[in-house]
Amino acid sequence: ENVTLSSILSLKLVDGAGETAKPITTKVFLDRINASAPNELVRSLSDSFLFGIHAQNVNEPFLILKTGYYQNAFAGMLAWESTLEEDLGAIFIPPSPTEYASPNDLILDRSNSFVDILVKNRDTRALKNSEGQIVFLYSFPDKNTIVITTNADTLQKITDRLFAERLVQ
């Protein structure tokens, strides 16, 4: 599909086909990708969610989750950090060329962990690779919304659109 740069494309994930197709719920989505999101998080999420692409030079995926229980969602996201890359990586991170180690190479423990960063004055949790580049990040633009993506510009664009939509209503 031809999508202009910096535009947002939402993907409707459904179960079934044609007129009988129904949007899948957040829980079904997480189950189908075999996510190991903590139960406290899954229970706090509403049924509706949005998965989409932010069209840039490299398309950046994003996921918007809605919650009515901020405290459980926040604690659940912190707990999910340990497997977030594994759970969403196949959808969010393009595969990189395989690197093979020789028997003489020193294999280092890659125990990445999320860190607090600011993106346009917004508290954000980010996972960075060994080169310091962001792999994943998530933020709560408000107490009812979680945005997960792989790029700070995408996070900002999604957040701007969420707030612009509220101002219009």
Side-chain angles (χ1 to χ4, degrees):
E1 192 172 320
N2 292 334
V3 180
T4 59
L5 280 178
S6 198
S7 64
I8 303 291
L9 176 67
S10 65
L11 304 173
K12 187 175 184 180
L13 304 178
V14 297
D15 202 2
E19 292 187 21
T20 61
K22 294 188 289 188
I24 64 170
T25 64
T26 304
K27 183 178 182 340
V28 169
F29 172 73
L30 293 173
D31 287 344
R32 291 209 179 145
I33 64 169
N34 294 318
S36 50
N39 285 333
E40 67 184 318
L41 173 63
V42 176
R43 284 191 311 267
S44 73
L45 298 174
S46 70
D47 285 343
S48 61
F49 70 99
L50 176 66
F51 178 73
I53 302 292
H54 177 213
Q56 294 188 318
N57 292 337
V58 174
N59 292 335
E60 300 289 345
F62 66 89
L63 182 63
I64 300 174
L65 304 171
K66 299 300 270 179
T67 182
Y69 303 100
Y70 172 77
Q71 292 81 359
N72 287 2
F74 185 77
M77 286 302 295
L78 290 174
W80 194 18
E81 287 179 358
S82 63
T83 61
L84 189 62
E85 181 181 14
E86 181 181 327
D87 290 348
L88 297 178
I91 300 169
F92 277 64
I93 304 170
S96 59
T98 304
E99 294 180 19
Y100 297 97
S102 73
N104 298 329
D105 287 343
L106 174 63
I107 307 295
L108 299 176
D109 177 27
R110 186 177 172 244
S111 53
N112 291 339
S113 59
F114 279 77
V115 295
D116 291 318
I117 65 170
L118 283 175
V119 175
K120 304 286 185 183
N121 293 326
R122 182 163 313 286
D123 290 329
T124 303
R125 297 282 294 164
L127 176 65
K128 295 182 178 184
N129 63 18
S130 57
E131 288 83 38
Q133 299 165 318
I134 293 174
V135 176
F136 270 110
L137 50 85
Y138 71 88
S139 184
F140 285 79
D142 61 40
K143 291 191 182 277
N144 298 316
T145 309
I146 307 165
V147 178
I148 304 172
T149 188
T150 54
N151 180 283
D153 185 49
T154 299
L155 176 64
Q156 183 60 37
K157 180 70 92 176
I158 298 299
T159 303
D160 289 348
R161 290 201 179 186
L162 288 170
F163 286 122
E165 183 177 302
R166 283 189 209 133
L167 291 174
V168 171
Q169 293 178 0

